[in-house]
Amino acid sequence: MLVFDIETLGAESNAVVLSAAIVYIDMSKTDHTWESLYKNSLFVKFSVEEQVKQYKRVMEKDTMKWWSKQCALAKNMSFVPKHDDLTAKQGIAILRKYITDNCNPKTTLIWTRGSLDQMGIDSLCKACGEELLMNYSNYRDMRTYVDLTATNPVRGYCNVDKNKYPGTWDRNVVVKHNPIDDIVLDSLMLLYPE
């Protein structure tokens, strides 16, 4: 299975996509840890300027204000422009290669936190004339899974079961809105929900 997250400049499907992170989880293995999932993750950072100029993607004022209040690490990871930001086509190609190198994109489930991630990446693919990364029917909602399976879920989040987790777990390492941290945390909640 895959776990996927994007960071955006809006809450609509046509919003600028700042970055994306994805991780493949080999379900035949039972020893997934924060470190191993982090190591197997892929991160891509997209060019905001290209998306606005070439594809007329949207930047919402409220979301820009929201980003200004996030921690420096999360902002630097996704929000702050870099000289090596990827074009939409480059980033999508890298994501597609990661998916096809690790699994069958026609049959593998891909977990996201709600629907914006799927709608945003699908919209970006369409805007630049690329095939969608995954079939619509392959996407699953992480929050619903957690709310239905965890002992004490809180708005789509749960604790990682320390009795099942192979190692020690410290939730304080998670930086919210760092997409790699977000997908690894979601992965652990899928694998070891308490």
Side-chain angles (χ1 to χ4, degrees):
M1 75 179 162
L2 295 161
V3 179
F4 180 69
D5 182 54
I6 63 173
E7 298 297 332
T8 66
L9 289 180
E12 299 292 333
S13 62
N14 63 343
V16 167
V17 177
L18 293 169
S19 62
I22 192 166
V23 64
Y24 171 71
I25 302 171
D26 182 346
M27 294 304 290
S28 69
K29 297 180 179 176
T30 59
D31 59 348
H32 300 286
T33 63
W34 174 268
E35 295 79 13
S36 68
L37 291 165
Y38 215 93
K39 182 180 175 186
N40 290 331
S41 298
L42 171 75
F43 173 79
V44 295
K45 182 154 177 341
F46 293 98
S47 166
V48 171
E49 183 178 356
E50 181 221 18
Q51 289 179 60
V52 171
K53 287 182 178 176
Q54 189 164 341
Y55 304 118
K56 310 300 182 226
R57 310 280 300 170
V58 176
M59 297 185 292
E60 294 176 359
K61 201 179 294 186
D62 287 346
T63 306
M64 298 290 284
K65 186 177 177 181
W66 176 88
W67 269 107
S68 72
K69 297 175 184 174
Q70 301 310 305
C71 78
L73 193 130
K75 282 194 289 193
N76 190 50
M77 185 89 172
S78 294
F79 184 73
V80 176
K82 307 280 191 311
H83 73 281
D84 58 349
D85 287 352
L86 301 171
T87 67
K89 286 181 178 265
Q90 289 171 328
I92 290 165
I94 291 168
L95 289 165
R96 186 179 319 285
K97 181 170 180 359
Y98 179 89
I99 292 168
T100 56
D101 284 353
N102 284 287
C103 62
N104 181 343
K106 293 186 187 299
T107 59
T108 301
L109 296 181
I110 182 167
W111 293 87
T112 63
R113 185 158 286 283
S115 58
L116 180 59
D117 301 274
Q118 176 186 356
M119 293 186 317
I121 200 66
D122 284 358
S123 175
L124 184 60
C125 287
K126 289 175 186 176
C128 66
E130 293 292 320
E131 184 180 327
L132 301 182
L133 290 177
M134 301 286 286
N135 293 328
Y136 179 84
S137 60
N138 292 50
Y139 284 86
R140 298 294 184 271
D141 178 35
M142 176 69 203
R143 291 181 294 200
T144 303
Y145 175 82
V146 168
D147 286 344
L148 292 174
T149 60
T151 307
N152 294 305
V154 178
R155 301 185 71 212
Y157 288 91
C158 68
N159 290 323
V160 172
D161 189 334
K162 293 179 181 180
N163 294 320
K164 295 177 186 171
Y165 181 77
T168 58
W169 165 243
D170 181 4
R171 194 171 190 138
N172 294 321
V173 301
V174 179
V175 176
K176 289 187 73 114
H177 310 297
N178 168 345
I180 300 175
D181 283 18
D182 288 344
I183 62 169
V184 173
L185 176 59
D186 281 350
S187 299
L188 294 178
M189 289 187 293
L190 280 168
L191 294 165
Y192 314 111
E194 181 178 73

